Amino acid sequence: KWNKITTSVSFTPDMNVFKGVNKDKGLLEVEPFILTRLIQIASTQSKIKLYYNGVMINSYSKNFKQYIQLHRPDETCRVLYEIVNDKLEYGLMTSSTGKYEHSSFVNNVCTTRGGTHVKYITEVIIKVIIEYFKKKHKNSNGKLSKNVIQNKLHVFVNIKINNPDFTSQTKTELSTKIIKSDFKLDEKKILNVLRREGVLDDLEDLLSQKEMDVMNKSLSGNKKRRINVEKLVDAEFAGTRQSHKTNLVVVEGDSAKTFAMTGFSVVKTE
């Protein structure tokens, strides 16, 4: 017997609604969809206990942090999870597909197409990462674009909004403008967690590879390029097949440079 007030729902799914499934297998084909949705509800509405055919769904995931953990491709995958306030919690892990991924909810409704809440969280994370590498690698020739960083991310967002607006009646994409003052993220905390969880290390390796690519291209003999060096006077044969015939003269100061150039004009040296 139940000791508390509960709600029991019994139903027979209309197989005509589930396109692409084998109708002969009946509920077995539909059950994964049902379980997925029940796990989502249990993860975003932790105060509710859910049972399906006698099995407690909360045992799979009882909060949003555990829901994020379910998406790890393996135990070595690093996860970031933060509670901003009573209305917003979010998480981050490295994308297992090599492409940008997101899993999000608005008032416990799964927004499969994301929306303004996902965009806001993603942009803040990318901004923190770009600024970090700009400070650490001031003289680096390699750069990480927003798209490169974004494709390394799998973002999770669970948000509560009063009277949310969506792009359609299916409620798969949030269109409500996110007020930053209501959901202010601690960027220093994000950076510390990114560093602690090793997300920055993964991107550091990618940046190092880009730096190597840039250096290899600059050293390649297949391309000719001129480097602009302030106050440099090139020899006539510089950068040509006869460059081995040239000499490098280094002087200190403009007056010394003028004296050297005058001497070259006298002896008519190329």
Side-chain angles (χ1 to χ4, degrees):
K1 294 183 179 180
W2 297 100
N3 296 323
K4 296 181 180 180
I5 298 175
T6 61
T7 299
S8 176
V9 179
S10 300
F11 66 95
T12 300
D14 182 358
M15 300 303 297
N16 294 319
V17 175
F18 296 91
K19 298 180 180 180
V21 301
N22 189 338
K23 297 180 182 180
D24 295 333
K25 293 184 179 180
L27 188 59
L28 291 176
E29 283 285 291
V30 181
E31 199 167 39
F33 298 99
I34 299 174
L35 287 173
T36 297
R37 184 56 188 138
L38 290 176
I39 290 174
Q40 291 173 347
I41 295 173
S43 303
T44 58
Q45 193 67 276
S46 57
K47 294 181 179 180
I48 296 178
K49 291 184 178 180
L50 294 175
Y51 292 82
Y52 177 70
N53 290 345
V55 178
M56 187 175 183
I57 299 299
N58 304 74
S59 62
Y60 296 103
S61 176
K62 61 183 179 181
N63 52 48
F64 195 59
K65 183 177 182 179
Q66 287 190 0
Y67 178 78
I68 297 172
Q69 297 284 350
L70 290 176
H71 289 76
R72 294 193 305 165
D74 54 65
E75 294 183 356
T76 62
C77 180
R78 301 159 179 145
V79 175
L80 178 159
Y81 169 76
E82 290 294 328
I83 299 176
V84 177
N85 50 40
D86 60 346
K87 293 184 179 180
L88 174 65
E89 56 185 334
Y90 71 97
L92 169 69
M93 70 171 62
T94 303
S95 171
S96 60
T97 63
K99 295 182 180 180
Y100 175 58
E101 300 177 86
H102 58 80
S103 305
S104 61
F105 301 86
V106 176
N107 298 351
N108 311 117
V109 175
C110 182
T111 45
T112 55
R113 297 183 60 186
T116 51
H117 58 319
V118 175
K119 182 179 179 181
Y120 169 63
I121 297 296
T122 302
E123 287 182 345
V124 172
I125 294 173
I126 291 176
K127 175 188 174 185
V128 170
I129 294 174
I130 288 178
E131 290 182 350
Y132 167 79
F133 283 114
K134 277 185 177 180
K135 292 179 181 179
K136 186 175 181 180
H137 301 275
K138 293 182 179 180
N139 300 319
S140 173
N141 291 323
K143 293 183 179 179
L144 293 175
S145 67
K146 290 183 178 180
N147 287 335
V148 169
I149 295 174
Q150 183 169 287
N151 286 335
K152 296 284 291 182
L153 308 178
H154 186 163
V155 177
F156 300 81
V157 183
N158 182 28
I159 195 170
K160 302 291 188 296
I161 296 179
N162 293 328
N163 302 318
D165 293 321
F166 299 89
T167 57
S168 67
Q169 293 183 351
T170 58
K171 298 183 179 181
T172 56
E173 184 177 5
L174 182 70
S175 60
T176 301
K177 182 179 180 181
I178 300 299
I179 301 176
K180 295 181 180 180
S181 58
D182 290 344
F183 306 102
K184 191 173 182 179
L185 306 186
D186 188 336
E187 296 186 5
K188 290 184 178 179
K189 192 172 184 179
I190 291 176
L191 183 60
N192 289 335
V193 176
L194 286 168
R195 184 185 291 111
R196 186 184 71 225
E197 299 298 337
V199 177
L200 292 179
D201 291 338
D202 294 339
L203 290 169
E204 185 84 41
D205 292 341
L206 188 60
L207 179 60
S208 297
Q209 183 59 50
K210 282 187 170 290
E211 290 176 337
M212 287 296 296
D213 291 342
V214 172
M215 184 176 68
N216 289 336
K217 287 181 180 179
S218 65
L219 296 176
S220 173
N222 297 327
K223 293 184 178 180
K224 296 180 180 179
R225 55 182 297 184
R226 295 181 66 88
I227 301 176
N228 183 26
V229 179
E230 187 177 0
K231 297 184 179 181
L232 170 68
V233 178
D234 265 341
E236 182 178 348
F237 297 145
T240 68
R241 294 180 179 180
Q242 300 185 62
S243 59
H244 63 283
K245 297 180 180 180
T246 62
N247 295 311
L248 175 65
V249 179
V250 180
V251 297
E252 182 178 2
D254 292 337
S255 58
K257 174 185 174 183
T258 301
F259 180 79
M261 294 301 297
T262 302
F264 289 148
S265 64
V266 172
V267 298
K268 297 181 180 181
T269 300
E270 300 296 343

